[in-house]
């Protein structure tokens, strides 16, 4: 055949190409100097930054920092403020200044719909209740009594989805009320001043009751577990793909923290951590009191069909509410392989199985 005399050369070239590809594939990916996790924080009386939730537990355990240190990688905690968690975290993911963040479901959906690529790494760890508060002197007894009224709600935050569900369960739409888009601090002030007829928020509702400026007329405690606000550990998709070894350490650290707090004296230890972070003990205890969700369930780091259905429904709501411009396929938002390996390593495959 014409050109057959060049076959050996082609064969040599092919072998060189395969060798180079093998060398390239076998080359170790240089590790970053630091691994950065964003977490909700507040400044303590002494000026020290205090973290809350799962991240505070991981930081105190010290296991993650030690394991990363063995690889020459520093663990860096990036504080974000309560009033603007979603904006700060999404901006940080966008400019690549963080690798992980523990924050809410709706902001995560908004981020991915806008073009960012993040994935849920460790579910569970925060399933806070939501509350509908009205002024102390209000005659309103339910959401139905607030038709046409002004309700303070911070749009785009994780508790907006439970609010939409509350409306729908009572045959109402958002157009049936006047939404005042205010952050929690401004919303509380609006309720106290009389410029809002109601306020939909988290456990800070109890502070308004303590100050005699508001009263709770509904909470998600008796609603389905899926109505609770979700805030979970998300990771930058490119980082997860590039540094799976580091991502596994992070996932394992959070699963270890969830295991510790879910059983034994974990509940009391958690309360003490939150008190140390500057939260009033009475507020934490009232948040837990009368909740129908088992304590262990709050910390289950498992990817269940219910979890996936939750995010699909939240994404559908986000488009309907015009928080995102187009449909979001949520099937790609999950990275369960890290939790699965962590559960296997820690011999916890059946720990939350019945949950």
């Amino acid at each position: 055949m014409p050109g057959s005399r060049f076959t050996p050369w082609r064969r040599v070239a092919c072998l060189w190409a395969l060798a180079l590809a093998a060398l390239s594939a076998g080359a170790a990916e240089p590790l970053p100097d630091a691994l950065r996790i964003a977490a909700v924080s507040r400044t303590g009386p002494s000026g020290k930054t205090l973290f809350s939730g799962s991240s505070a537990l991981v930081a105190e355990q010290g296991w993650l920092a030690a394991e990363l240190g063995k690889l020459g990688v520093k663990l860096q905690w990036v504080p974000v403020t309560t009033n603007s968690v979603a904006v700060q975290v999404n901006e940080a993911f966008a400019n690549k200044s963080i690798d992980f963040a523990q924050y809410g479901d709706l902001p995560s959906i908004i981020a991915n719909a806008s073009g960012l690529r993040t994935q849920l790494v460790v579910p569970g760890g925060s399933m806070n209740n939501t509350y509908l508060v009205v002024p102390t002197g209000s005659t309103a007894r339910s959401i139905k009594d607030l038709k046409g009224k002004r309700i303070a709600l911070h749009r785009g935050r994780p508790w907006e989805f439970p609010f939409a569900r509350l409306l729908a369960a009572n045959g109402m739409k958002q157009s049936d009320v006047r939404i005042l888009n205010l952050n929690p601090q401004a919303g509380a002030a609006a309720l106290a001043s009389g410029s809002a007829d109601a306020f939909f928020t988290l456990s800070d509702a109890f502070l308004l009751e303590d100050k005699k400026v508001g009263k709770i007329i509904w909470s998600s405690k008796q609603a389905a577990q899926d109505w609770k606000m979700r805030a979970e550990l998300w990771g930058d998709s490119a980082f997860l793909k590039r540094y799976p070894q580091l991502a596994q350490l992070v996932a394992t650290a959070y699963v270890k923290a969830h295991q510790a707090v879910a059983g034994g004296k974990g509940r009391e230890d958690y309360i003490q951590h939150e008190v140390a972070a500057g939260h009033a003990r009475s507020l934490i205890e009232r948040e837990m009191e009368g909740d129908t969700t088992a304590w262990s369930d709050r910390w289950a780091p498992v990817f269940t069909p219910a979890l996936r259905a939750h995010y699909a429904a939240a994404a559908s709501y986000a488009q309907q509410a015009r928080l995102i411009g187009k449909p979001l396929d949520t099937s790609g938002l999950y990275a369960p392989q890290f939790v699965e390996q962590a559960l296997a390593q820690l011999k916890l495959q059946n720990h939350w199985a019945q949950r």
Side-chain angles (χ1 to χ4, degrees), residues 203-220:
S203 58
D204 51 321
F206 294 115
L207 297 177
L208 296 173
E209 284 196 326
D210 292 345
K211 295 176 182 177
K212 308 298 183 184
V213 297
K215 60 182 179 182
I216 298 169
I217 62 172
W218 178 89
S219 85
S220 62

Side-chain angles (χ1 to χ4, degrees), residues 178-192:
R178 295 170 57 192
I179 299 296
L180 305 178
N181 186 12
L182 301 171
N183 67 36
Q185 184 176 2
L191 186 81

Side-chain angles (χ1 to χ4, degrees), residues 14-28:
C14 182
L15 289 173
W16 270 108
L18 289 172
L20 289 173
L23 287 171
S24 177

Side-chain angles (χ1 to χ4, degrees), residues 127-209:
M127 297 182 67
N128 300 92
N129 286 296
T130 51
Y131 302 85
L132 180 61
V133 191
V134 296
T136 304
S138 173
T139 59
R141 295 184 177 182
S142 73
I143 188 70
K144 291 182 179 180
D145 297 327
L146 295 171
K147 192 169 185 177
K149 302 295 185 178
R150 301 160 300 177
I151 302 180
L153 170 74
H154 202 184
R155 298 293 312 277
R157 300 297 293 274
W159 53 92
E160 179 177 344
F161 188 34
F163 176 71
R165 288 187 157 184
L166 176 61
L167 288 174
N170 285 273
M172 299 172 66
K173 300 175 293 186
Q174 282 202 16
S175 58
D176 290 326
V177 296
R178 295 170 57 192
I179 299 296
L180 305 178
N181 186 12
L182 301 171
N183 67 36
Q185 184 176 2
L191 186 81
S193 67
S195 57
D197 301 299
F199 177 34
F200 196 82
T201 187
L202 302 179
S203 58
D204 51 321
F206 294 115
L207 297 177
L208 296 173
E209 284 196 326

